[in-house]
Amino acid sequence: MYDLIIIGAGPAGLTAAIYAVRYGLNTLVIEKNVIPGQIATVTTIENYPGFTSISGMELMQKFKEHAEGAGATIQNNNVISVKEEQGKKVITTDDGGFETRAVILATGANPRKLGVEGEERLLTKGVSYCATCDGPLYGDLKVIVVGGGDSAMTDALVLSGIAKKVYVVHRRNELRACSILQERVSKKENISFIWDTVIQEIQGDELVEKVVLKNLNTGEITDMAIDGVFIYVGIDPNTSMVDTNKTENGFIVTDEQMESSVKGIFAAGDCRRTSVWQVVTAVSDGALAAISAHEYIISLDLER
Ligand code: NAP
């Protein structure tokens, strides 16, 4: 039986692992993806202290080296369920089960879908959620970025360096993104804004050819020829494997110690209910969750 199993090897999970192994906890990290962490898809991170500018992939690699160097074991596996059974936690994966005294869920989140006709059918055929991954395919073409948050502006900037023209389609006439990103975007001559507008449909036979736009003020519907649609309308957490208290969008509700509604099950990072989704807050969550898991395990020992 493990002391602690951490699910997810993104910034939150690996930070939790570093703290847990330093407490001497018998710890296993289980990760589904070969390259974990949404952050690995980010081209440049400029707000993680200690690094004035670093790619998401490089930062993740440094986290991994640090955790493994500290003694953490990371196993690739897909977790199906996490259940409480007679005081212990039972984790079922595609390749069998594990027992542990405590669990930290650091399972992150995935890009939210727009939910319009054509989005799923034309995925990878002009529809994308990652400019860093797919942007280079759009050299000298015209693309749309959907959303007004930090992710949309970050990737609009990436695409402005590749595509001929970038249109930001936003449902309001005001951006949610931080002022530095807004300022940078406003200086790019090949980025234009289409305000108060949503995409109603993405059309095309083999590849994206056009979108149907709706102006939310006037109700006017227009067709617009386009080569690519990059969607950034928020994130959905990967929390279906566990039955704890969650928000209506599936984010795990925790207390300030990162403990969920089930004793001994903690959550950290993007899968947790929070108002900020940053690497630095994920790292902070991971440290706190490991400290709390350690205290929980000590309390189990004292009860014996
Ligand atoms: P976000 O901040 O939640 O922004 C989502 C955007 O999509 C909002 O502008 C929202 O419009 C719009 N939207 C939501 N649902 C929509 C729909 N159905 N149709 C059309 N538009 C829709 O998400 P995010 O940009 O992915 O950022 C997530 C978190 O990561 C944030 O905390 C952000 O600060 C962080 N992040 C940070 C950085 C950085 O620091 N460089 C980079 C990327 C992300 P409204 O504004 O009208 O709600």
Side-chain angles (χ1 to χ4, degrees):
M1 161 124 71
Y2 285 96
D3 289 323
L4 176 65
I5 289 186
I6 298 164
I7 307 172
L14 291 180
T15 305
I18 292 166
Y19 274 70
V21 293
R22 287 169 61 83
Y23 279 129
L25 299 178
N26 180 16
T27 305
L28 175 67
V29 181
I30 304 178
E31 167 60 50
K32 178 168 73 169
N33 298 313
V34 179
I35 302 172
Q38 271 206 104
I39 199 67
T41 65
V42 173
T43 323
T44 317
I45 298 164
E46 296 175 342
N47 56 6
Y48 189 74
F51 299 94
T52 44
S53 178
I54 187 167
S55 76
M57 189 72 90
E58 201 183 341
L59 186 60
M60 276 315 305
Q61 193 53 38
K62 286 187 183 294
F63 283 155
K64 187 162 180 265
E65 280 164 18
H66 190 161
E68 287 180 332
T73 305
I74 304 170
Q75 182 184 109
N76 268 110
N77 214 329
N78 180 41
V79 172
I80 298 163
S81 68
V82 177
K83 292 205 170 108
E84 162 87 24
E85 278 178 24
Q86 292 150 359
K88 64 187 180 206
K89 288 23 177 189
V90 177
I91 294 183
T92 308
T93 73
D94 282 347
D95 297 324
F98 297 96
E99 290 184 354
T100 178
R101 302 173 86 190
V103 177
I104 297 175
L105 288 144
T107 45
N110 288 324
R112 186 171 296 153
K113 308 285 177 289
L114 207 50
V116 297
E117 186 71 35
E119 180 181 18
E120 209 178 316
R121 182 174 61 82
L122 293 165
L123 180 63
T124 73
K125 296 169 186 162
V127 173
S128 171
Y129 303 89
C130 176
T132 307
C133 325
D134 302 326
L137 301 171
Y138 296 85
D140 221 24
L141 298 176
K142 288 190 294 177
V143 298
I144 279 176
V145 165
V146 187
D150 284 345
S151 299
M153 293 313 109
T154 302
D155 279 16
L157 287 167
V158 170
L159 288 163
S160 77
I162 302 168
K164 182 161 72 182
K165 180 78 192 175
V166 180
Y167 298 94
V168 176
V169 173
H170 184 35
R171 64 182 177 182
R172 293 188 292 141
N173 64 0
E174 203 180 359
L175 296 174
R176 178 181 291 276
C178 68
S179 52
I180 288 182
L181 287 172
Q182 292 199 30
E183 197 188 319
R184 285 184 193 165
V185 166
S186 69
K187 286 183 182 152
K188 294 284 177 188
E189 283 182 1
N190 66 342
I191 300 181
S192 302
F193 288 87
I194 303 177
W195 302 111
D196 300 308
T197 297
V198 291
I199 290 187
Q200 275 203 324
E201 193 178 336
I202 304 169
Q203 297 179 344
D205 289 332
E206 294 301 313
L207 295 171
V208 167
E209 290 164 23
K210 63 179 179 177
V211 289
V212 180
L213 300 175
K214 180 178 183 181
N215 183 302
L216 295 177
N217 287 339
T218 62
E220 189 189 356
I221 308 278
T222 46
D223 284 355
M224 180 178 173
I226 204 77
D227 303 300
V229 181
F230 288 78
I231 299 166
Y232 306 93
V233 293
I235 54 175
D236 284 326
N238 300 313
T239 57
S240 60
M241 74 285 285
V242 68
D243 192 13
T244 64
N245 207 0
K246 295 177 195 166
T247 67
E248 63 178 278
N249 290 329
F251 291 92
I252 296 170
V253 177
T254 70
D255 62 16
E256 285 183 8
Q257 277 64 50
M258 307 292 130
E259 191 164 32
S260 75
S261 56
V262 180
K263 282 231 145 295
I265 297 184
F266 302 83
D270 285 1
C271 67
R272 183 179 87 85
R273 180 182 67 177
T274 171
S275 54
V276 189
W277 290 272
Q278 298 281 312
V279 184
V280 79
T281 52
V283 159
S284 160
D285 280 8
L288 252 172
I291 292 166
S292 303
H294 179 231
E295 282 170 8
Y296 169 76
I297 290 162
I298 290 174
S299 76
L300 291 181
D301 288 339
L302 291 175
E303 277 170 20
R304 277 185 180 171

